[in-house]
Amino acid sequence: MTSSPEEPGTPEKSVESLVLHATDNHVSWITLNRPESLNAITPDQRERLIQLFSDASADPAVRAVVLTGTGRGFCTGADLRGGGQGAGERVAGDVARVIRLGAQRLISAVLDCEKPVIAAVNGTAAGLGAHLALACDLVLAAEQARFIEVFVRRGLVPDGGGAYLLPRLIGPQRAKELMFFGDALTAPDAERLGLVNRVVPAEDLHKTAREWAERLATGPTRALALTKQLVNASLDSDRATAFAAEATAQEINMTTADAREGVASFVERRSPRYGGS
């Protein structure tokens, strides 16, 4: 959940340099760039991440997102020591407010992003960092990556949506095992449990993430967004509600240019050319 603050005497860096961003071939690349702290997230970084996911949702030129990190860590959680959140006397309600307006907003930004989000987990993903990866639609992991529900080691309750995400991904018993013991989960074990889509050698991680993202970026963007919403909502819905949402989503989707192109390409026996609208 926490990590080491910057070394004493280190010049303060801009948040733009700590969370890198570039758009390439309709893919928004978001890179946590604080390797000396294993990419622990400060409040300023968190706000930039939330804004970048919001921007990706609204930008028609962006059709997929990749989230990754530099160095040995993907993200080791919220850097509480670096953010000054522990200063002063604690008032009842402060902790809940910080979590609600901080970690939970960040996880929601990923879940609510209207473009498919790929996590390219390059190293350790711990605490909020693990939940940040698991909130993504697809998870690629380098062979040396690890996932750690570190909260119990600090005497804390999992936050940042962990108790919501994990049982839905692997069931309550497995989720409790990870959260009760806080043991490091290797990338291959995470893949076996269903937390990771694919494990690749470290040198292939960026390449594989690019291939997946660019494939998504040539797909029917609105249909993918509606599919993401349907799958996420289905976990909290009864059958009647889920079926109604599915029918409504298809009704909306059939008004898009990409749906018309998909049908036309099938009839004309050619590959579709989706424009994202």
Side-chain angles (χ1 to χ4, degrees):
M1 184 174 181
T2 61
S3 185
S4 301
E6 305 287 350
E7 292 296 326
T10 302
E12 186 174 344
K13 299 176 182 178
S14 69
V15 68
E16 290 80 12
S17 69
L18 298 176
V19 180
L20 305 176
H21 177 249
T23 300
D24 179 30
N25 208 13
H26 298 292
V27 178
S28 174
W29 289 82
I30 302 173
T31 305
L32 299 172
N33 186 37
R34 210 169 157 233
E36 67 280 357
S37 64
L38 299 180
N39 292 318
I41 298 174
T42 65
D44 285 347
Q45 289 176 280
R46 179 193 68 223
E47 293 305 309
R48 176 161 165 80
L49 285 168
I50 291 170
Q51 187 62 54
L52 287 173
F53 282 111
S54 177
D55 292 346
S57 282
D59 188 350
V62 172
R63 299 173 65 184
V65 180
V66 175
L67 176 65
T68 191
T70 58
R72 297 183 297 108
F74 171 76
C75 175
T76 51
D79 189 348
L80 303 184
R81 287 179 290 182
Q85 296 176 10
E89 184 178 352
R90 183 172 295 158
V91 177
D94 280 353
V95 172
R97 189 178 306 106
V98 167
I99 292 171
R100 186 172 63 251
L101 299 180
Q104 290 177 352
R105 280 180 58 238
L106 175 57
I107 297 303
S108 294
V110 179
L111 293 171
D112 295 338
C113 182
E114 295 180 25
K115 311 298 166 62
V117 182
I118 298 172
V121 183
N122 53 293
T124 300
L128 175 60
H131 302 164
L132 184 59
L134 300 179
C136 295
D137 302 301
L138 299 170
V139 183
L140 296 170
E143 290 173 338
Q144 73 271 23
R146 300 185 306 159
F147 298 80
I148 311 173
E149 286 295 321
V150 74
F151 298 92
V152 70
R153 299 185 185 182
R154 312 288 183 257
L156 300 173
V157 171
D159 61 37
Y164 174 86
L165 292 167
L166 269 176
R168 285 164 169 78
L169 291 168
I170 59 175
Q173 279 75 27
R174 291 289 194 183
K176 290 172 188 174
E177 179 182 345
L178 295 179
M179 291 178 165
F180 286 0
F181 293 113
D183 294 332
L185 191 67
T186 66
D189 283 343
E191 183 182 31
R192 177 177 54 81
L193 289 177
L195 293 174
V196 167
N197 292 88
R198 187 173 300 177
V199 177
V200 298
E203 60 270 21
D204 293 337
L205 181 65
H206 187 274
K207 174 187 173 184
T208 306
R210 178 174 293 279
E211 289 172 351
W212 282 31
E214 291 184 352
R215 183 176 177 185
L216 290 169
T218 61
T221 306
R222 294 311 306 161
L224 291 175
L226 289 166
T227 300
K228 174 175 179 172
Q229 291 172 15
L230 284 174
V231 173
N232 286 352
S234 74
L235 299 170
D236 299 311
S237 301
D238 56 50
R239 185 179 67 183
T241 302
F243 277 23
E246 175 188 279
T248 299
Q250 194 69 289
E251 177 77 23
I252 294 169
N253 185 64
M254 289 302 292
T255 67
T256 67
D258 279 348
R260 293 192 294 272
E261 166 63 11
V263 173
S265 66
F266 174 76
V267 172
E268 297 167 12
R269 301 189 179 210
R270 59 174 174 80
S271 298
R273 297 182 293 272
Y274 295 122
S277 61

